[in-house]
Amino acid sequence: MAQTHDVLIIGGGLVGASLALALDRAGVAATLVDAAPPAAMPAVFDQRNLSFADATVNALTALGVMQRLRAPAGAIRRIHASRNGDFGRVLLDAADYGRDSFGQVVVARDFGAALESRLAELPRVVRLRPARFLGFGDLADGLREVRVGGGDGERILRARLVVAADGTDSAVRNALGIAVGRHDYRQRLFVARLRTQRAPDGIAYERLGDDGPTALLPRGDGAWGLVHGVAEAEADRVAGLADRDFMLRVQDAFGWRAGRFLEVGERSPYPALRVVAQQTTAQRAVLVGNAAQTLHPIGAQGFNLGLRDALTLAELIAGADDPGADALLEAHAARRHEDRTRTLAFSDGMARVTASRVPLMRPLRGLGLAALDRVPSLQALLAGGAMGYRGDVPALCRRGAA
Ligand SMILES: Cc1cc2nc3c(=O)[nH]c(=O)nc-3n(C[C@H](O)[C@H](O)[C@H](O)COP(=O)(O)OP(=O)(O)OC[C@H]3O[C@@H](n4cnc5c(N)ncnc54)[C@H](O)[C@@H]3O)c2cc1C
């Protein structure tokens, strides 16, 4: 006899696990399915540095996650954006917006451990792992059948709502037959921990270059979180560089604002992709997080946006009789539209500016940054996005939601 679940979340990564917490807080029992076994965190909880927007920090505090971080988070009090070889730069200060910080830098591995520790406290959340989504069965009587395979073979689950939180290559999205728009920016991003002469002091630096961004994020452990983008054609060569030569290369791209680069940790490479689902709902199914949209990491928006997908869904389900009703799913798509569209356009625009080698673009880009630094209304728009306040903001994102 197949088990029946109200809300079946496929994917216990950053967004899926956060959704389970938000549903639990709303009194809704969720079942969280992940391909990774209980003893191993999903691979996505790795050494990447995540900038949590202010709205995200508020929500994760209300959900009891920020309090469980073992390593201190690094506050982003100012954002400094400039372009290699161009005139102009932007400096945004959180104090100008009445805030202590735009957000916090957290290492994904630490975030995973904090989520896990919080989930372990909630008896209502059911975990199925290792359990891999294999496909759908029947769709009848207000229930969708799901086939999963795991340690004890294949089994069938039934759910009133299936949530696809299974990441960029979402098998759930494919099984639903939802098409995607895909763009490969032909860049590889190297992420590493970096120590420099000057320790972080609350400034996040984003240096835009022809082949990708170089960002230094102020971690809470006295080191920087480095992201260095290189053209795909050069990526293997850069991966093979000795640490010293890698640091020389990055210092050349970034400059001296953080002093001399002293020591770099292990480098992890990531592709830079945009994968956008053409629709985010189907009958008794909804896509959230990277399954719905994967963005270039340059704007540090992917998880922040995905969390807002999840929180909006939890809000709608909290007050509903049927979590998979067509009207609820339509309301979700409608409420997410503005934030999704604007955040996608922002991240894509930033990514394309860094990738363009057209000489005529240079003065325009420089002017853009210089102008932005002088026009408070434009800055406020940028800062609002950086803090995660776009569109119809979920209640948990507001200050004091806890
Ligand atoms: C270098 C880098 C830096 C980034 N920096 C930031 C940042 O600063 N700020 C920000 O907001 N975002 C950032 N992001 C984006 C962020 O990492 C993603 O948006 C986020 O991981 C998406 O979470 P998700 O839960 O949707 O998907 P994922 O985190 O990919 O999780 C998917 C989960 O689904 C599981 N799964 C997959 N297939 C199946 C299956 N068939 N059955 C069962 N389970 C399955 C996986 O095990 C995994 O646990 C960055 C990304 C990169 C690459």
Side-chain angles (χ1 to χ4, degrees), residues 11 13-15 34-35 42 44 48 50-51 131 133 166 290 300 302-304:
L14 283 72
V15 174
D34 200 276
V44 67
R48 78 186 64 174
L50 299 164
S51 294
F133 171 85
D166 55 342
N290 273 21
F303 169 64
N304 291 307

Side-chain angles (χ1 to χ4, degrees), residues 250-296:
V250 182
Q251 183 102 61
D252 189 45
F254 179 76
W256 295 86
R257 288 193 170 92
R260 183 179 298 282
F261 292 180
L262 300 176
E263 193 188 313
V264 69
E266 189 195 334
R267 278 165 255 164
S268 313
Y270 299 88
L273 299 172
R274 188 190 67 223
V275 181
V276 181
Q278 282 172 4
Q279 63 194 68
T280 56
T281 61
Q283 238 184 316
R284 302 228 160 249
V286 58
L287 316 184
V288 294
N290 273 21
Q293 64 274 318
T294 296
L295 321 179
H296 191 301

